Amino acid sequence: MPGRWLSKILSVAAILMVLGISSAESRETRRMCIKEQVDASDAIFVGKVITMTEPSKKTPGVNRYVVVEVHDVLKGTAPKEVNFVVSGYSAELNPACCEKDGTYIFFSRIGYDVFEEYGGSFVTTTLGKDRFLSATNGRFSTFHVQGDTVVGWQTEAACDASASALKPDVLACIHQQVAAQP
């Protein structure tokens, strides 16, 4: 009997290690530089949060999302309104976002990820490609625009030494990086 419990405990520990839950450090999302964020994003846009909602049906991997009115598309395409996942299966991948009526710059990718088990192994699968956008770089995927300032924008890692957190400079920086893509 004790061997059975030990086997179960070791199995759970192995699963947690595979999922990266063995230490707080392993769950940290590394902040990408602006070039990496632009390269990894399917769509980058400026938009205003209209509502925050939970799916009416149980949608695996989506606990909460915001409906965003898109004002300016900087990369890719986006309809006039998008559903952007703000609370999904993994807390460290959730963006630091959003307040109703707040304006943000969104670095996003199509769909959202979930863990699924296949034959004893866990794999990441992207779902909701027709309905949702999600964060490209976890909590570093959204930037609140307050007046003419972009909150949380790291000027030292942006485009050049003269970059600032002023909205026109940030947008110019993103445009520069998008234009530089192959």
Side-chain angles (χ1 to χ4, degrees):
M1 188 76 150
R4 184 174 170 204
W5 285 103
L6 180 59
S7 174
K8 285 184 179 183
I9 290 170
L10 291 175
S11 294
V12 169
I15 289 171
L16 293 175
M17 287 177 62
V18 166
L19 294 176
I21 300 174
S22 62
S23 73
E25 184 176 322
S26 67
R27 291 181 54 108
E28 287 292 318
T29 299
R30 180 185 67 81
R31 185 178 197 142
M32 295 177 182
C33 71
I34 184 66
K35 181 186 179 329
E36 290 173 307
Q37 279 186 297
V38 168
D39 290 347
S41 295
D42 295 315
I44 303 169
F45 55 93
V46 179
K48 179 180 177 182
V49 174
I50 300 170
T51 62
M52 183 174 292
T53 189
E54 295 178 11
S56 57
K57 296 178 184 176
K58 177 73 175 147
T59 304
V62 179
N63 300 325
R64 192 170 45 250
Y65 65 93
V66 292
V67 177
V68 179
E69 178 183 72
V70 176
H71 296 166
D72 187 17
V73 177
L74 308 171
K75 178 186 176 184
T77 59
K80 292 188 186 296
E81 285 186 5
V82 300
N83 296 329
F84 185 81
V85 178
V86 295
S87 178
Y89 82 97
S90 179
E92 66 274 9
L93 298 179
N94 293 335
C97 178
C98 292
E99 296 174 7
K100 186 176 182 315
D101 296 324
T103 298
Y104 296 83
I105 298 173
F106 295 85
F107 288 81
S108 65
R109 54 191 190 77
I110 297 170
Y112 59 91
D113 290 339
V114 295
F115 275 139
E116 295 182 323
E117 182 184 2
Y118 287 108
S121 297
F122 286 97
V123 295
T124 303
T125 304
T126 303
L127 301 175
K129 292 180 180 183
D130 61 333
R131 242 181 105 199
F132 293 98
L133 295 176
S134 62
T136 298
N137 188 211
R139 63 188 172 119
F140 309 112
S141 299
T142 58
F143 297 91
H144 195 182
V145 179
Q146 292 182 325
D148 205 29
T149 302
V150 179
V151 178
W153 187 258
Q154 282 192 318
T155 57
E156 68 278 0
C159 295
D160 58 41
S162 66
S164 73
L166 293 176
K167 184 180 174 187
D169 292 337
V170 170
L171 295 180
C173 174
I174 294 169
H175 281 296
Q176 175 187 347
Q177 292 299 316
V178 170
Q181 285 190 307

